[in-house]
Amino acid sequence: MSTPYPFTALVGQEDLRLALLLNAVSPAVGGVLVRGEKGTAKSTAVRALSALMPEVDVVSGCRFSCDPASPDPGCPDGPHGTGASGSRPARMVELPVGASEDRLVGALDIERALAEGVKAFEPGLLADAHRGILYVDEVNLLHDHLVDLLLDAAAMGASYVEREGVSVRHASKFLLVGTMNPEEGELRPQLLDRFGLTVEVAASREPDQRVEVVRRRLAYDDDPAGFAGRWADEESAVRARIVAARDLLPEVRLGDGALRQIAATCAAFEVDGMRADIVMARTATALAAWAGRTDVLAEDVRQAALLALPHRRRRAPFDAPGLDEDKLDETLEEFGGQDGDEGDQGEGGDDDPDPDPDGGPGGGPDGRPEPDDAPRVDGESAAQPESGEDREGGEPQPSGGGGGGEQTPARAAEPFRTKVLSVPGLGEGAAGRRSRARTEHGRTIGSRRPRGALTKLHLAATVQAAAPHQRARGRSGPGLVVRRDDLRQASREGREGNLVLFVVDASGSMAARQRMSAVKGAVLSLLLDAYQRRDKVGMVTFRGSAADVALPPTSSVDAAAVRLESLPTGGRTPLAAGLLKAHEVLRVERLRDPARRALVVVVTDGRATGGPEPVALASRAARLFGADGVASVVVDCESGPVRLRLAGQLAGELGGTAVTLDELRADSIAGLVKDVRSSGQNSGQSSRRAA
């Protein structure tokens, strides 16, 4: 087994270390979500924590790690009497992003069922993580069906398995730790709220601190065991301090004054539900125990708020997590000192808000000199050129003269719930919530012979295939004689996430203030829908004389929203350039991820200007999508009393469907947009019928 990097050898990242240690002191805090850019020691810190966790007493031979002092009465390996017991290190179990449902919750032991004819349960990762740490790297990329199972286990402290004739319930209480890079997409709100604390990490910009990081890492890579040995004393000291804080925790008093501050803070920041209040109370108590105190002080409440509330402040998917510290201080001051707790500092209660005055983890945990100055990581006529478009040349005119130059970006209108746009057919892409697909989870629709390795056994079909041959195979015992030809793969149908590529017209014809605001609101609404359906998104914009990839395909829908907000407008309408750029983006993306199907959303009024034969060139570019069978929809932004209905013609050439901004709303009176048809149909006619 490889030697883990010592926890006390980490440089900087005080908030990260403190949050992890508070959970080691009080697992009831509810775990930690670590958000930050790549290369900031997120995974290193989590793996290092496991070496500091105190050992756990377990019933000998119990696969579910029952505590001898209070064994689970419903344990599948029970009942446990007064038999032998022992101790072992606390486990850190890693949940891979691509893990199967069977691997997480456990399943019927197929080998014993077929060979011995008995029902036997094979535990999964939730059983292994009981009374330990469950670590999910890149937790924001975890498939939805696994997220649902984690939510259930975290809420109930137990795992329930009801499948394939197996009915099992076992305890599963674990410290949930997740790491993620926000650039790759955000986390579902339901799972986000299950993390007790959250920490934002970033690489230091201080040269001396960065030098020390590199120096220690190189020393560790050269001799992991020797490096760990040099930090053994510091590791032992922190481990002993965790044990002492755990012993002190039941004696810590959370007075009425601190409770009022906690309640007032959660109310002031308008967090949903009561979980934030409970987590803050537990965190403040753990902070006091970590500092060796039996009273919770105002600084404990403040630090607890900074760790427990930022991720609960997200009111919408595109809101950045964070906390207004000035508002926090005002709230604490207004509701502080009402029962005298905060006024009586007691032993160790000086004015220093550092919860670790002795310099252990949470203050200066290394026990070694840190680099100096290391910072703390804390309506118009379609027949006339529009006002924003050039009338003579192909280049934008200066904006001060009322021409078609670049204009100040318009703010997006209020987003709304959109109708469902999906790709037709049955795909095999990454799990999501948009289009029908063959998946490893979901409802079983049949069975087939496996192509390659067997990944999901259809038990009934396998038994049915093997049963007629038992006598010929000389079966004499209770087991079933099964050959490889008998094995059947379960065919399941679920939903996949798609690549939603937005092609947005930012030309002068779209630049009228009200129109562009409505267009941005529509795109933002579609981005919200893509966030909820676990899609990848990309954005191509076109204006003036060229098209740009404003956002390469990514899972970070937040990044697309930011680019949309600052999107400039003005100039001619190079529609062909926009379509050709989008076609190139799709070509490259198919090489990277051939299983993920694309949905192209063109947001335009259908005009094409600038250059020789702009309309004919745009038509030829559009037909490329139809020839490739790419699903598409055109959001028709044309407005005013006179309309050319050019967007409908564009949709027909794309082989897709056209829908107006009003029809895009889920609550509009128009018919529901169900599938984006990739077969050539006259989308303009269908739009007129819907209207």
Side-chain angles (χ1 to χ4, degrees):
M1 181 177 179
S2 61
T3 303
Y5 191 93
F7 189 86
T8 51
L10 294 169
V11 178
Q13 308 294 19
E14 287 87 353
D15 286 344
L16 170 58
R17 291 181 291 169
L18 179 60
L20 291 171
L21 288 167
L22 292 177
N23 275 274
V25 171
S26 176
V29 167
V32 186
L33 174 65
V34 187
R35 298 164 46 94
E37 59 196 25
K38 52 188 176 293
T40 49
K42 301 187 297 294
S43 300
T44 300
V46 176
R47 294 189 174 99
L49 176 69
S50 61
L52 299 178
M53 297 289 286
E55 291 190 340
V56 294
D57 295 329
V58 296
V59 175
S60 297
C62 178
R63 297 173 297 166
F64 301 89
S65 302
C66 280
D67 186 350
S70 56
D72 180 11
C75 177
D77 285 355
H80 300 300
T82 56
S85 62
S87 61
R88 60 161 176 78
R91 291 174 179 157
M92 190 191 76
V93 178
E94 294 197 40
L95 172 60
V97 169
S100 67
E101 184 176 333
D102 291 348
R103 186 71 188 97
L104 179 61
V105 302
L108 178 69
D109 189 331
I110 299 297
E111 183 176 350
R112 292 190 62 191
L114 296 179
E116 303 174 22
V118 298
K119 289 183 180 179
F121 179 69
E122 185 176 5
L125 296 178
L126 289 180
D128 293 342
H130 181 45
R131 304 178 66 202
I133 302 172
L134 181 62
Y135 172 49
V136 189
D137 193 14
E138 305 295 349
V139 63
N140 51 324
L141 305 181
L142 197 64
H143 291 173
D144 280 352
H145 68 293
L146 298 181
V147 170
D148 294 337
L149 294 170
L150 274 183
L151 289 174
D152 290 341
M156 298 182 291
S159 175
Y160 292 83
V161 184
E162 300 283 349
R163 56 190 305 171
E164 297 166 343
V166 175
S167 179
V168 174
R169 174 258 174 217
H170 64 83
S172 182
K173 298 180 180 179
F174 47 82
L175 171 58
L176 181 61
V177 181
T179 56
M180 60 174 283
N181 183 349
E183 295 176 357
E184 297 174 338
E186 281 295 343
L187 199 61
R188 279 177 56 185
Q190 295 92 333
L191 184 56
L192 187 65
D193 189 51
R194 286 294 175 186
F195 286 97
L197 310 179
T198 187
V199 177
E200 296 279 342
V201 296
S204 172
R205 300 298 183 257
E206 180 65 33
D208 289 342
Q209 196 170 37
R210 296 175 74 99
V211 166
E212 186 65 18
V213 170
V214 175
R215 181 181 293 119
R216 293 185 187 183
R217 185 69 209 191
L218 292 177
Y220 170 77
D221 291 341
D222 289 341
D223 183 10
F227 183 83
R230 292 194 292 273
W231 292 87
D233 291 342
E234 287 83 354
E235 293 281 287
S236 297
V238 174
R239 190 179 298 109
R241 187 173 175 184
I242 292 174
V243 174
R246 281 190 173 188
D247 293 339
L248 182 63
L249 189 64
E251 303 176 22
V252 176
R253 187 174 71 94
L254 183 65
D256 289 343
L259 277 173
R260 285 183 61 84
Q261 286 183 315
I262 290 170
T265 301
C266 293
F269 286 99
E270 300 179 347
V271 296
D272 295 331
M274 295 296 297
R275 182 173 286 114
D277 303 63
I278 297 171
V279 171
M280 274 190 65
R282 290 171 173 165
T283 304
T285 303
L287 279 162
W290 178 249
R293 289 185 270 100
T294 57
D295 287 317
V296 174
L297 307 181
E299 58 259 31
D300 298 327
V301 176
R302 186 181 192 278
Q303 183 67 57
L306 293 174
L307 293 172
L309 295 188
H311 60 301
R312 294 182 168 90
R313 283 282 297 146
R314 283 176 68 97
R315 315 306 299 178
F318 303 143
D319 292 343
L323 212 62
D324 185 341
E325 295 195 31
D326 291 338
K327 181 178 179 180
L328 173 61
D329 291 336
E330 291 173 3
T331 303
L332 293 176
E333 183 177 355
E334 179 181 355
F335 290 89
Q338 298 196 19
D339 68 348
D341 291 348
E342 291 70 33
D344 182 11
Q345 298 291 325
E347 185 178 355
D350 53 41
D351 293 334
D352 185 359
D354 186 352
D356 181 33
D358 297 328
D366 300 352
R368 304 252 178 134
E370 290 285 355
D372 293 338
D373 302 323
R376 177 178 174 83
V377 178
D378 289 326
E380 65 236 353
S381 171
Q384 297 293 330
E386 306 202 25
S387 60
E389 187 160 358
D390 301 337
R391 287 159 173 77
E392 300 295 335
E395 298 298 324
Q397 300 297 321
S399 56
E406 183 174 311
Q407 302 185 12
T408 303
R411 295 185 62 85
E414 193 70 21
F416 51 84
R417 187 167 64 91
T418 66
K419 291 178 178 177
V420 180
L421 305 175
S422 61
V423 179
L426 198 62
E428 295 182 341
R433 294 189 167 189
R434 183 172 296 278
S435 305
R436 294 172 56 236
R438 299 183 186 91
T439 60
E440 290 296 317
H441 50 88
R443 65 186 183 94
T444 301
I445 59 174
S447 64
R448 58 178 173 83
R449 292 181 182 273
R451 296 189 294 269
L454 179 70
T455 57
K456 188 71 65 172
L457 180 72
H458 194 296
L459 182 59
T462 299
V463 172
Q464 187 176 12
H469 309 292
Q470 296 307 293
R471 181 175 299 178
R473 294 173 182 175
R475 172 185 169 183
S476 58
L480 194 67
V481 181
V482 179
R483 305 278 172 81
R484 178 163 184 79
D485 289 345
D486 301 327
L487 299 179
R488 295 294 182 269
Q489 174 87 20
S491 298
R492 298 190 175 188
E493 182 178 311
R495 292 278 170 176
E496 67 176 0
N498 299 116
L499 166 61
V500 181
L501 181 61
F502 294 92
V503 186
V504 182
D505 184 349
S507 66
S509 65
M510 302 284 289
R513 205 33 92 173
Q514 284 187 330
R515 176 190 285 192
M516 201 59 201
S517 177
V519 167
K520 286 189 175 182
V523 177
L524 185 62
S525 303
L526 290 167
L527 284 171
L528 281 165
D529 184 66
Y531 166 82
Q532 294 163 352
R533 300 185 187 280
R534 314 301 287 175
D535 295 316
K536 289 182 71 173
V537 296
M539 186 181 299
V540 172
T541 63
F542 56 95
R543 56 185 289 270
S545 59
D548 296 307
V549 180
L551 182 72
T554 176
S555 295
S556 178
V557 181
D558 293 48
V562 171
R563 304 291 173 88
L564 177 69
E565 188 68 29
S566 59
L567 179 65
T569 56
R572 291 193 176 275
T573 311
L575 178 57
L579 295 174
L580 290 173
K581 181 69 72 173
H583 190 267
E584 175 64 17
V585 170
L586 292 182
R587 185 190 67 80
V588 173
E589 193 64 19
R590 274 195 295 268
L591 297 176
R592 293 175 177 168
D593 190 357
R596 188 181 290 268
R597 299 186 294 165
L599 171 62
V600 176
V601 180
V602 185
V603 185
T604 182
D605 56 9
R607 296 168 182 265
T609 61
E613 300 184 345
V615 177
L617 188 58
S619 297
R620 289 197 295 271
R623 287 194 287 271
L624 293 174
F625 291 85
D628 290 346
V630 177
S632 60
V633 61
V634 178
V635 180
D636 185 358
C637 303
E638 191 174 35
S639 60
V642 179
R643 304 192 183 190
L644 301 179
R645 302 194 181 276
L646 298 175
Q649 298 176 24
L650 175 63
E653 291 163 341
L654 286 167
T657 304
V659 57
T660 67
L661 287 173
D662 289 338
E663 293 168 350
L664 190 62
R665 294 178 178 271
D667 54 356
S668 72
I669 61 174
L672 180 65
V673 180
K674 289 185 176 177
D675 282 342
V676 182
R677 296 172 174 82
S678 58
S679 60
Q681 72 168 13
N682 191 323
S683 55
Q685 293 179 0
S686 64
S687 297
R688 288 193 291 272
R689 286 198 299 269

